[in-house]
Amino acid sequence: MQGWFFVIILVLTACALFYIGRSRAVATVGGDPTVLHSKPGFHGAFVMICGMVPAVLLFFTWLLFSRYLTSAYVTAQLGADFANLATIEQNALIRNMRSFADRTDLSALSQLEAEAVEHYRAFVGRAALILQIVIGVLVVAGGWFAMRAIHQELRARQFVEKTVMSVLIAASGVAILTTLGIVLSLIFESVNFFQKVNFLDFLFGTHWSPQSAFEGVGEEATDRNSEVFGAIPVFAGTLLITAIAILVAAPIGLMSAIYLSDYASPKVRATAKPIMEILAGIPTVVYGFFAALTVAPFFRNTGEAIGISVSSESALAAGLVMGIMIIPFVSSLSDDVINSVPQSLRDGSAGLGATKSETIRRVILPAALPGIVSALMLAISRAIGETMIVVMAAGLSANMTVNPLEAVTTVTVQIVTLLVGDQEFDSAKTLAAFALGLVLFCVTLLLNVIALRVIKKYREQYD
Amino acid sequence: MTDLTGGNVEQASIHTSEGARQRLAKRYRGESVFKWLGRSAIGVSVAFLLLLLSTVVFQGIPAFTFNFVSLPFELTEEKLGLDNSETSLRRANFDAVVRDGIRDQFPTVTGRSEKRALSGILSSGASVYLRQQVLDNPALVGSDDTRLEVPISDFADLYLKGQITSDYRIQGQGALRVDRTDNGLRLIADEPVFADALARAKEALRDQAASLRAQQSGLQLSLNKTRGDIKALQERIPAETNANVKNRLEAELERYQSDITVLEARIKQIEEQTKKIDSRVANPGLGEDLTGEMMSVLVYIDDAVLKAQKVTNTTANVEEFMPIDADVTNVAADQWYIRVLEVPESNRKFTDQEIVWTDELVERGYVRSGLNTIFFTRGASREPEMAGVLGAAVGSALTLIVTLLLSFPLGVAAAIYLEEFAPKNRWTTLIEVNINNLAAVPSIVFGLLGLAVFLNYFELDRSAPYVGGMVLALMTLPTIIIASRAALRAVPPSIREAALGIGASRLQTVVHHVLPLAMPGILTGTIIGMAQALGETAPLLMIGMVAFVVDIPMGFSDPATVLPVQIFMWADFPEPAFQQRTSAAIMVLLGFLITMNALAVVLRKRFERRW
Amino acid sequence: MSVEANLAATAAKAPAANASKVKMSGNGVNVFYGEKQALFDVDLNIYENQVISLIGPSGCGKSTFLRCLNRMNDTIDVCKVTGKIVLDEDDIYDKNIDVVELRARVGMVFQKPNPFPKSIYENVAYGPRIHGMTRTKDELDDLVTSSLRRAGLWEEVKDRLDQPGTGLSGGQQQRLCIARAIATQPEVLLMDEPCSALDPIATAIIEELIDELRANFTIVIVTHSMQQAARVSQKTAFFHLGKLIEEGPTDQIFTNPINKKTQDYITGRIG
C-alpha cells in the first residue's frame, strides 16, 4: 500500500513540475509562446526531468541495494552472536527477521531474532526518513535550478531529446548487461566451484553423484569430492538424448520443409504451416507431461510385451518427444533456407529434364547445405538447452550408456535437481549446477554464433 | 544435310528409346517415393499434435465436472463448540460436523476403522468447504438438518465417473436360502447359481499362476545378471589400486551378495505359490475364496448388499455391507441379483464397501454432479479434489504484468535506438550480435542468472512474482526487440523523409510518424513474446516459484507459482485424480495461449499494411 | 556492323533452310495467366536445323511462347495453355507426353546464366547423369569434354573442371549453361535472351556458337536485339501485344516486311 502511495506522490510531483515549467516558460515571454525557441511543453518536460530523474535514480538504487544493506547492517549489529551461527541458521534468521518486521507479536521468535527485528526496524525507519529527505531536496533543488534556467532562447527541446536518447541507449544496453550478468554470475560461481573441485576432474571425471557429497565435504575430503563431480556421464547423457532428438527432427523437419516449399498446393501449405506453428507454441512442460505419462509408459509396456527391458525413464522417450518438439524449428529454418535458393536454379534443372525430386536432391539441397547445417546446429543447441521434457521424462542417475532404452541424465536435469529447493551458496553441490550452466552456456553460444555466421554468409551469397 | 538429319534421329533415340523410357519409369518411382516421404513427414507432425491434444483433452475433460454430496448437517452451536462469539466460528469444530453428518446416514456402521473408512468417502477438505459456507452465511448456525454441499473424495468421484471399475449384473437364477450361522451369513441355493462366479474365480487363479511364472523368470534373469556382476567385481577388486574406489566397489559387492539371497528366497516362494494355485485350478468343482486379487461379487437382495467371500457352485459365504433384515430367510429368484466388479479390489484405491456406501448416497439423492467450481476457485492442495488452478493463474497474471511492464518499454526503446538512431559502428554491431545470441540462450540459463543475481546478490524475495517477472522480462526482451525492429524496418523511408522534410527532429519523426505505423507489428511481437513467457517453466523453478502455495497470491511479492510450474508439480503426483487435473490445467494454459495467439493473428490481419 | 551486311550474309544460307522439314509447330496457341491472356492464337512452324528468332517489344509474349515449347510454364500455377504444339508428330500438351522426357528433348538456356553451385564438370554432367545417358565414367568424361568443346569453353576451363561453375565470368557462365544444355543432347534448343546479361565481346562469341550449333540442333532464340536476330537466324517471327504479327525468312522480315507494325518496329517507331 505504501508503495502505491509513493508512486502516486511521484506522479503528482512530476505533473506539478511539468506544469510549473510550462507556465514559467510562457510567463517569461509575456504570454506569447511563439517567440520561444522550444514549445512550452518542452520547457515543462525540461523542469520535470531536472527535478525527477536524479530523485528516481536514487530511489531505484536504494531499492536494489536496500536488502543487502539492511542485512549487512543487522549482521554487523548482532556481531559475534550472528557470526557463530551456521549458514542455514543465519539465512533462517534473516528470513524470519524480514517476515516479522511488520508484525507486532514477536513471541514466536528467539531472543536473537527479536533483537535482529529491533535493529532492522530501527535501520529501515531511519533509512526511510533519510531517503525521503534526500529525495525531497533533490526534487526541489533540481526543479529550482531548472526554473532559473528557463528563458526565451533555452534549447529545451534539444535537452529533452538528448535525455530521451540516453534512455533509448540505456535500454539497448540492457541486453548487454544481461549477457554480462549471465557470464559474470556463471563464471563467478564456477570459479568458486573449481576451488573446491578440480577443473579437470569435473570435465573428464566419469562418476557423477553430487547428492552423495554432503555439506562440508567440500573442505574436508577433496579427493572424494572430485570423484563424485565427474561430469562426463552427464555430458554423455545429454549427447545421447540430443542425438535421438536430432535423428527424429532432422529428417522429418527437413522433409516437411521440402514438401511444403516445393510440392504442397497453397491450400495444403495454408493448413500445414499453422499446425507446425501450433506444435512450436505448445509449452515444453506439456511435452514433458506427455513424454512422462504417455510415451515413456508406452515404450516400457511395448518393451515388456516383446521381452526387452525398457527403463520407464528411457532416453528414447525423452529424445523422441524432444525431437517432435524441434521439428517445427528445423522445418521453419530449413524452409527459409530452401526458399532462398534462387528460382533460376530450379528452372535450370527443370529445363534439362530433371524431375522435381532430382532437382531438390541434386541441386537445391547441395546449394542449401550450409544453411541446412546451421539450421541443424541451432536445433542441436535448442535440444541441449531444453529443460522441462528431460526433467520430467529423463532419469536422475548418471549412467554412461549408449543404449537409448536405459535412463540417462542431462545437464539441464542436473541443474534443476541441484538447485530446486533450498540452496546453500557455499556447497559444492549448488555450485556444481553453475559449472554445468557455464558449460551449457558456452556450448550453446558457440553453436549459435557459428550457425548465425554461416547463415548470414549463406544469405549474402544469394542476395 | 542428310547426314545431319540422320544425326538428329540418332539423338532423338537417346531420350525416346526403350531404355530411356524404362529409366524414366524408375525415376518417376523415385519421385513418388520422395513425395510420399515428404507427405508422411507432415503426417507425423500432424498425427503427433492430434495425439498430444487428444490425450490431454480426454484426460482433462472429466476434471471439469465434480460430484458434490449435500447432506443434512447439524450446525448447532453446541456441536460446533461455539461460545456465542462471532470470531470463534473460524475455529469451530467443523470436522466433527462433517464426520457425524456422514455417519448419521449409515447408523449400522460401528467399528472404528469402518467409521473412519466411511468418513473417507467425503473429501478431507469437506470441513474447510463447509466452514466457508457457514462463514458466508452465519444464519446457518443453529439449524440442525440444513442440507449443505461438500465435495466427495477424489476416488469416490472417479468411481461415480466410471473410472474405477466396470461392472455387470446377473439376475438371480433360482431361489436363495439365507443361513445365519455363528461364522456369518451363508446363501444356499438348489441350482448352481454361483457357477459363473466360481468359473471366473478359477480363471483369475489361472492368470495369477501365469503372472507368477513370468515374475519368476524375470527374477531368474536378474539373479543371473547379479551373479555375473559379482563375478566381474570379484575379478576387478584385487586389480584396483585406488583405495577410495576399492572401498566403493567392495560395498557394491556386498550389496549384490545380499541381493542374491533375497532373490533366491523370493524365487522359491513363488514356485511354491504357483504349485498351490495350479492344483486348485485343476479341480473345477472345489469352492474358492474370493480374494482381493479377483473380481468382486456383490449380492443385492432388496436394500441389502452382501459381498461374497467364498463361493461354491451353489453356496456363497457373504459379508453384510448393507444389512439384511433379520427375518428374511427365503429369497425368490426375481428378488435378487449378482453384481460383478471387474477390477480386483487390490488393484484399486476404492474398496467394495466404499463403493456400496457411495451407491447408497446416490440412491438417496444426495449426490450432485456439476461444474468443478473448486478447480476454478482455489489454489494448490495436497488433496486432488481440493486443488485448483486459480492460485497459479493469478500467479501467472502477476508475473506477466511485471514482465510486460519491463520488457515492452525496454524492448521498444532499444529497437527504436538500434533501428532509427544507432550509428553503424563496432558498439552497435556488438549489441546486435548480442541480442541475436541472447534470443537463443537456453531459458534455464536465465534462471541461473535470476538465482545468482536477483536472489543471491540483491537478496530479493524467493517465489515472488516480481522476481519471476524480471527474469522472464530479460528472457523475452530479445524477442520483442527483434520483432519491433522488423516492424520499424517495414515502415518505408518515404514517411521519415516526409517528416524530416518539413523540419521535424528525428525523434519527433519517429515518435509522431514511424512508431504509430509500426505499433501493430510491435504489439504482435510483444504478444507472442508474452505467450512464450506464459508457457515458460525452467527459469522459474530456479528462483523458487515451485513453492507449494495454498493461498491465492494478492500482490507482487506474495509467494506464488505459475500455471506451467503448477502443471509440472501436479504431473509428479501419482493419484489419478491429479493426473486428470494436470491435463485440465494444461487445457486452461493452452486456452490462454490460444487466446493470446489469436489476438496476435487478429492484430496482424487487421492492421497489416502493404507499402 | 550494319544490318544490311548481316542480312546479306545470312541470305546465302536461306535456300538450304527452306528445304528443312518442320521440327515443331504451334497451332492456335493461347496462353492465360489467370484472367489475363498473354498469347492470342499463335501459329508458327519451326524448321529443323534452323535458327528462328522471336522478336518484339517487351511483354509481347515472345518469352511466353518460348516457355510453352518445353512446358516450362507448367511450374507457374495460374498459367493455362490451349491450342496445339507439336514436336515431330507428338502434341506436347497431350496427356501421354511426359514433361521430363519433353524437356530432355527440348533443352533450354536462360536469360541470366544460372550455373549450379557445383564444379564445372558436375554442371555439364548433371543432365547425362539424371537421364542415365552414359554407362561408364569414360563415356561421361567424353560427353562432358565434347559438350564443353562444342560450347567453345573447353580451352578456357580444361584445367579447372573441378572448380565451381559460379566462379566463371558471365560470358563463360552462359557458355557453361549452353554446354550443360547440349550435354543432354536435346533435339531443340530454346534460348531466352541468352546474351542480355553479357558484354558485347561475350555476346559475339555466343552468337558465333549459335551458328555452329545449328548443324546439330534446331534453335529457337528470343532476343530483344534486332541486329542479333539478323545475325544469327534464318527465320524471324515478330510478336506484338501477344499476337504473332509476321513471320518469314529473316532477310524478308528485315528488308521487306509485309505488316505495317513490323515495319514500325524494325524502324524503331514502336518498342
Side-chain angles (χ1 to χ4, degrees):
Chain A
M1 227 47 251
Q2 256 186 331
W4 290 114
F5 183 69
F6 188 76
V7 170
I8 289 169
I9 295 264
L10 273 183
V11 171
L12 286 180
T13 321
C15 290
L17 284 173
F18 180 84
Y19 182 76
I20 293 170
R22 200 190 131 95
S23 21
R24 162 91 188 187
V26 175
T28 44
V29 289
D32 178 14
T34 52
V35 301
L36 281 171
H37 170 270
S38 304
K39 291 204 316 189
F42 284 110
H43 290 270
F46 167 68
V47 175
M48 185 174 81
I49 289 166
C50 291
M52 299 305 292
V53 169
V56 170
L57 281 183
L58 177 78
F59 179 64
F60 277 113
T61 321
W62 165 250
L63 271 191
L64 271 181
F65 292 99
S66 64
R67 296 200 138 235
Y68 179 74
L69 289 176
T70 46
S71 352
Y73 174 80
V74 172
T75 5
Q77 290 297 312
L78 294 180
D81 288 345
F82 183 81
N84 290 338
L85 294 175
T87 324
I88 305 179
E89 290 170 308
Q90 288 183 343
N91 290 345
L93 186 141
I94 299 284
R95 222 178 4 251
N96 280 338
M97 173 189 84
R98 285 193 204 292
S99 56
F100 277 84
D102 301 331
R103 297 184 216 177
T104 41
D105 179 21
L106 297 184
S107 52
L109 295 179
S110 70
Q111 178 72 36
L112 192 63
E113 282 174 329
E115 205 179 309
V117 171
E118 293 305 321
H119 287 304
Y120 179 80
R121 283 179 183 160
F123 181 73
V124 169
R126 231 176 304 149
L129 188 67
I130 295 173
L131 189 71
Q132 280 166 16
I133 293 171
V134 173
I135 284 181
V137 168
L138 277 177
V139 169
V140 172
W144 188 75
F145 173 80
M147 285 272 292
R148 290 285 309 263
I150 287 180
H151 62 95
Q152 189 178 334
E153 289 304 311
L154 177 72
R155 285 175 163 34
R157 184 170 62 78
Q158 276 82 342
F159 178 83
V160 172
E161 290 193 348
K162 262 189 194 142
T163 315
V164 172
M165 198 59 73
S166 355
V167 171
L168 294 186
I169 293 174
S172 51
V174 169
I176 294 276
L177 273 185
T178 308
T179 312
L180 215 62
I182 289 175
V183 171
L184 287 185
S185 58
L186 288 181
I187 287 182
F188 180 73
E189 307 292 355
S190 298
V191 164
N192 277 346
F193 174 70
F194 291 126
Q195 280 167 358
K196 295 171 194 276
V197 174
N198 187 312
F199 178 68
L200 294 177
D201 284 345
F202 169 74
L203 221 48
F204 299 111
T206 56
H207 180 94
W208 177 268
S209 59
Q211 304 297 350
S212 61
F214 293 106
E215 197 51 42
V217 172
E219 279 76 28
E220 287 154 24
T222 319
D223 34 306
R224 199 185 142 211
N225 231 3
S226 289
E227 204 185 294
V228 300
F229 284 112
I232 286 285
V234 181
F235 298 150
T238 312
L239 284 184
L240 179 63
I241 289 183
T242 305
I244 296 170
I246 294 299
L247 283 181
V248 171
I252 297 181
L254 195 56
M255 283 311 293
S256 304
I258 290 171
Y259 186 79
L260 286 181
S261 66
D262 281 69
Y263 283 104
S265 64
K267 219 168 152 189
V268 172
R269 218 178 355 245
T271 355
K273 279 211 166 177
I275 289 179
M276 289 290 195
E277 276 168 35
I278 295 177
L279 218 47
I282 291 178
T284 54
V285 68
V286 178
Y287 281 105
F289 174 74
F290 188 68
L293 283 112
T294 308
V295 180
F298 171 75
F299 280 141
R300 199 192 46 224
N301 295 338
T302 315
E304 232 166 56
I306 56 172
I308 301 172
S309 105
V310 180
S311 162
S312 56
E313 296 173 329
S314 64
L316 187 61
L320 173 79
V321 174
M322 194 190 275
I324 302 275
M325 188 200 79
I326 52 179
I327 285 176
F329 191 69
V330 175
S331 101
S332 80
L333 283 173
S334 317
D335 198 27
D336 286 355
V337 167
I338 288 171
N339 277 331
S340 61
V341 175
Q343 181 65 27
S344 69
L345 289 185
R346 285 164 221 256
D347 285 350
S349 177
L352 292 170
T355 63
K356 245 181 186 175
S357 68
E358 284 163 352
T359 304
I360 292 165
R361 277 183 290 135
R362 288 162 173 260
V363 177
I364 299 184
L365 289 188
L369 194 64
I372 291 172
V373 167
S374 42
L376 288 183
M377 284 171 73
L378 289 177
I380 291 173
S381 135
R382 170 72 66 102
I384 291 177
E386 168 45 40
T387 309
M388 291 323 291
I389 294 177
V390 279
V391 166
M392 294 170 84
L396 284 180
S397 62
N399 299 322
M400 276 259 254
T401 175
V402 287
N403 180 358
L405 303 180
E406 282 181 37
V408 294
T409 192
T410 74
V411 173
T412 47
V413 172
Q414 287 308 314
I415 295 177
V416 170
T417 3
L418 292 173
L419 290 187
V420 170
D422 275 329
Q423 305 104 20
E424 303 307 328
F425 257 87
D426 48 359
S427 90
K429 215 171 84 179
T430 308
L431 295 174
F434 282 90
L436 287 177
L438 184 64
V439 174
L440 178 68
F441 179 75
C442 291
V443 171
T444 51
L445 189 71
L446 194 71
L447 282 170
N448 289 327
V449 169
I450 296 174
L452 290 178
R453 281 208 157 187
V454 174
I455 282 194
K456 204 175 163 201
K457 279 248 170 76
Y458 168 78
R459 273 183 211 287
E460 280 165 1
Q461 183 193 336
Y462 289 120
D463 275 347
Chain B
M1 206 87 261
T2 28
D3 59 16
L4 278 179
T5 322
N8 258 354
V9 168
E10 202 182 81
Q11 280 170 10
S13 71
I14 284 181
H15 296 300
T16 51
S17 68
E18 195 50 38
R21 291 269 151 83
Q22 277 170 9
R23 280 197 301 272
L24 193 61
K26 205 175 146 204
R27 287 165 64 194
Y28 271 119
R29 276 199 297 281
E31 172 81 12
S32 62
V33 166
F34 193 75
K35 204 167 163 181
W36 182 83
L37 279 177
R39 220 175 264 150
S40 42
I42 303 268
V44 167
S45 312
V46 175
F48 187 88
L49 181 70
L50 290 181
L51 183 66
L52 191 152
L53 292 182
S54 58
T55 310
V56 168
V57 170
F58 279 124
Q59 209 173 43
I61 288 274
F64 287 111
T65 58
F66 191 71
N67 287 290
F68 295 88
V69 185
S70 60
L71 292 175
F73 288 111
E74 188 190 341
L75 292 169
T76 56
E77 296 183 358
E78 179 200 357
K79 186 88 192 175
L80 288 168
L82 292 182
D83 41 11
N84 289 335
S85 67
E86 172 84 22
T87 46
S88 58
L89 194 52
R90 243 166 226 293
R91 296 185 185 168
N93 192 357
F94 282 97
D95 284 329
V97 174
V98 169
R99 202 172 52 222
D100 293 347
I102 182 81
R103 282 180 193 169
D104 288 348
Q105 296 299 321
F106 299 95
T108 53
V109 176
T110 47
R112 260 178 84 92
S113 62
E114 282 86 354
K115 277 184 171 175
R116 196 174 308 132
L118 180 58
S119 309
I121 290 188
L122 296 184
S123 163
S124 55
S127 56
V128 181
Y129 199 79
L130 187 64
R131 180 177 60 202
Q132 194 55 49
Q133 291 178 63
V134 176
L135 285 175
D136 289 347
N137 183 8
L140 289 170
V141 177
S143 72
D144 63 355
D145 62 344
T146 319
R147 276 181 61 171
L148 287 172
E149 274 193 351
V150 291
I152 207 164
S153 79
D154 54 334
F155 283 107
D157 179 58
L158 288 177
Y159 167 69
L160 289 172
K161 288 171 181 163
Q163 290 168 345
I164 295 281
T165 173
S166 55
D167 62 347
Y168 63 89
R169 289 171 184 214
I170 308 168
Q171 191 55 48
Q173 315 218 318
L176 284 182
R177 231 162 344 108
V178 181
D179 181 20
R180 292 184 172 78
T181 66
D182 293 342
N183 299 332
L185 281 181
R186 194 159 164 229
L187 303 176
I188 304 167
D190 295 329
E191 289 100 87
V193 293
F194 300 115
D196 182 66
L198 184 58
R200 289 282 314 264
K202 298 277 183 195
E203 214 174 284
L205 279 178
R206 216 173 8 248
D207 292 348
Q208 268 179 31
S211 80
L212 280 175
R213 281 196 193 92
Q215 203 183 333
Q216 187 189 338
S217 63
L219 287 174
Q220 193 63 49
L221 275 181
S222 53
L223 181 65
N224 295 345
K225 186 175 175 289
T226 314
R227 285 198 177 122
D229 288 347
I230 288 183
K231 213 166 167 196
L233 273 179
Q234 279 167 339
E235 280 163 16
R236 197 178 145 195
I237 287 175
E240 185 62 56
T241 48
N242 185 329
N244 281 323
V245 176
K246 199 165 182 170
N247 281 341
R248 208 179 66 224
L249 293 179
E250 269 163 3
E252 223 166 281
L253 180 64
E254 213 164 283
R255 215 179 56 233
Y256 280 158
Q257 274 159 346
S258 75
D259 283 354
I260 287 221
T261 347
V262 172
L263 281 173
E264 279 170 346
R266 181 88 188 105
I267 288 176
K268 202 163 181 194
Q269 195 187 347
I270 288 176
E271 257 169 13
E272 281 164 14
Q273 252 176 309
T274 320
K275 214 179 281 168
K276 238 184 254 173
I277 292 174
D278 282 345
S279 75
R280 300 198 74 94
V281 172
N283 188 352
L286 190 68
E288 287 297 343
D289 287 332
L290 297 179
T291 62
E293 281 83 40
M294 300 174 191
M295 78 292 167
S296 301
V297 177
L298 300 175
V299 181
Y300 287 71
I301 304 172
D302 287 336
D303 287 339
V305 185
L306 311 169
K307 178 179 173 181
Q309 305 279 30
K310 178 174 180 172
V311 289
T312 67
N313 277 327
T314 55
T315 66
N317 293 28
V318 295
E319 185 187 345
E320 277 179 289
F321 276 180
M322 291 298 290
I324 187 165
D325 287 343
D327 52 354
V328 176
T329 49
N330 285 301
V331 185
D334 58 349
Q335 279 179 311
W336 69 281
Y337 63 88
I338 292 175
R339 181 175 174 220
V340 179
L341 305 173
E342 305 246 37
V343 178
E345 195 173 19
S346 61
N347 287 5
R348 48 183 148 93
K349 291 274 176 59
F350 204 54
T351 62
D352 294 337
Q353 175 74 74
E354 286 168 320
I355 286 179
V356 170
W357 282 329
T358 311
D359 286 342
E360 192 61 30
L361 285 178
V362 173
E363 209 159 283
R364 290 180 197 173
Y366 287 144
V367 178
R368 178 187 70 93
S369 167
L371 183 71
N372 191 351
T373 46
I374 296 177
F375 182 70
F376 293 110
T377 53
R378 294 185 59 89
S381 169
R382 302 260 182 240
E383 308 296 329
E385 68 273 17
M386 294 302 286
V389 288
L390 186 65
V394 171
S396 273
L398 292 171
T399 309
L400 277 196
I401 289 172
V402 175
T403 306
L404 182 65
L405 287 181
L406 287 175
S407 63
F408 182 68
L410 279 177
V412 174
I416 290 177
Y417 176 70
L418 291 174
E419 198 58 39
E420 303 286 334
F421 299 107
K424 283 270 162 271
N425 59 25
R426 207 181 281 172
W427 173 243
T428 49
T429 321
L430 177 73
I431 295 183
E432 282 199 51
V433 171
N434 179 47
I435 287 171
N436 285 334
N437 283 314
L438 213 51
V441 167
S443 61
I444 193 171
V445 173
F446 286 95
L448 290 175
L449 170 76
L451 175 61
V453 175
F454 295 150
L455 294 195
N456 194 35
Y457 187 73
F458 288 117
E459 299 194 359
L460 301 181
D461 298 295
R462 284 179 73 81
S463 317
Y466 76 92
V467 181
M470 282 157 74
V471 171
L472 292 183
L474 294 183
M475 204 190 76
T476 39
L477 202 54
T479 313
I480 294 181
I481 295 179
I482 290 169
S484 304
R485 290 190 63 179
L488 290 170
R489 211 174 303 140
V491 178
S494 58
I495 304 262
R496 295 181 184 83
E497 283 156 11
L500 291 173
I502 55 170
S505 72
R506 288 175 73 191
L507 193 65
Q508 282 170 325
T509 307
V510 171
V511 173
H512 296 165
H513 301 285
V514 182
L515 197 55
L517 291 172
M519 211 27 117
I522 294 176
L523 287 181
T524 308
T526 309
I527 294 174
I528 288 169
M530 287 298 115
Q532 254 174 36
L534 175 60
E536 197 52 71
T537 320
L540 300 179
L541 297 182
M542 304 284 93
I543 53 162
M545 288 194 84
V546 8
F548 180 78
V549 183
V550 179
D551 297 324
I552 290 160
M554 300 306 288
F556 292 106
S557 53
D558 288 355
T561 187
V562 294
L563 272 174
V565 177
Q566 186 74 78
I567 290 166
F568 167 65
M569 291 195 287
W570 278 353
D572 239 16
F573 289 122
E575 289 97 331
F578 259 128
Q579 298 301 324
Q580 293 184 349
R581 271 157 186 77
T582 313
S583 291
I586 288 177
M587 287 169 72
V588 172
L589 176 63
L590 290 182
F592 281 123
L593 288 175
I594 289 169
T595 316
M596 289 171 84
N597 282 299
L599 197 65
V601 170
V602 168
L603 209 61
R604 189 157 47 192
K605 284 259 157 69
R606 186 91 192 270
F607 294 98
E608 199 171 43
R609 212 185 283 244
R610 296 240 171 261
W611 303 101
Chain C
M1 216 190 275
S2 72
V3 175
E4 280 77 8
N6 263 304
L7 288 178
T10 43
K13 297 166 190 164
N18 284 340
S20 305
K21 67 164 195 172
V22 174
K23 183 68 186 170
M24 289 188 89
S25 71
N27 288 314
V29 178
N30 288 292
V31 177
F32 303 87
Y33 290 110
E35 296 290 293
K36 214 184 127 243
Q37 186 163 5
L39 271 190
F40 297 85
D41 209 18
V42 174
D43 295 316
L44 185 64
N45 287 337
I46 296 158
Y47 294 93
E48 195 158 52
N49 296 99
Q50 283 193 354
V51 178
I52 179 167
S53 299
L54 312 182
I55 60 169
S58 346
C60 67
K62 53 191 195 299
S63 281
T64 304
F65 182 71
L66 188 81
R67 291 170 69 93
C68 287
L69 296 178
N70 72 344
R71 293 178 56 179
M72 279 304 282
N73 284 332
D74 286 13
T75 53
I76 303 163
D77 289 333
V78 294
C79 180
K80 207 172 141 271
V81 179
T82 65
K84 202 169 171 190
I85 298 175
V86 175
L87 170 64
D88 291 337
E89 251 79 76
D90 313 318
D91 179 355
I92 64 168
Y93 279 90
D94 190 87
K95 274 207 183 86
N96 299 323
I97 287 294
D98 187 87
V99 67
V100 165
E101 186 190 304
L102 171 73
R103 287 178 191 155
R105 293 172 65 190
V106 183
M108 188 157 188
V109 175
F110 296 84
Q111 185 171 0
K112 235 182 91 190
N114 56 352
F116 300 136
K118 296 164 173 258
S119 70
I120 293 170
Y121 181 92
E122 284 299 325
N123 261 289
V124 181
Y126 180 76
R129 272 195 213 274
I130 57 170
H131 294 299
M133 287 161 58
T134 53
R135 269 174 294 270
T136 62
K137 174 85 171 92
D138 287 343
E139 257 181 83
L140 185 61
D141 286 349
D142 289 346
L143 186 54
V144 169
T145 313
S146 69
S147 302
L148 283 170
R149 268 190 220 284
R150 285 208 270 180
L153 195 59
W154 174 252
E155 288 304 321
E156 292 158 65
V157 300
K158 64 181 177 195
D159 299 325
R160 43 174 179 149
L161 289 176
D162 55 346
Q163 283 176 23
T166 42
L168 297 173
S169 73
Q172 287 174 324
Q173 283 191 8
Q174 193 61 300
R175 275 182 284 149
L176 178 63
C177 291
I178 292 174
R180 189 174 68 185
I182 60 182
T184 316
Q185 304 186 8
E187 297 156 42
V188 180
L189 197 54
L190 310 177
M191 295 184 160
D192 190 356
E193 302 192 21
C195 304
S196 67
L198 305 180
D199 60 65
I201 294 171
T203 304
I205 295 174
I206 293 205
E207 283 177 3
E208 222 168 281
L209 176 60
I210 290 171
D211 202 45
E212 284 163 20
L213 291 174
R214 182 162 67 92
N216 295 318
F217 306 97
T218 304
I219 294 173
V220 184
I221 176 167
V222 165
T223 173
H224 58 261
S225 149
M226 281 176 282
Q227 285 88 341
Q228 188 172 57
R231 282 194 297 266
V232 301
S233 62
Q234 286 75 52
K235 283 263 165 59
T236 297
F238 170 62
F239 284 74
H240 185 57
L241 294 177
K243 295 192 176 93
L244 174 64
I245 304 295
E246 191 174 350
E247 55 128 345
T250 302
D251 51 349
Q252 184 235 312
I253 294 281
F254 280 96
T255 52
N256 192 14
I258 297 164
N259 194 296
K260 172 101 178 17
K261 277 185 193 146
T262 318
Q263 195 163 15
D264 286 350
Y265 181 67
I266 53 181
T267 51
R269 246 171 274 168
I270 54 172

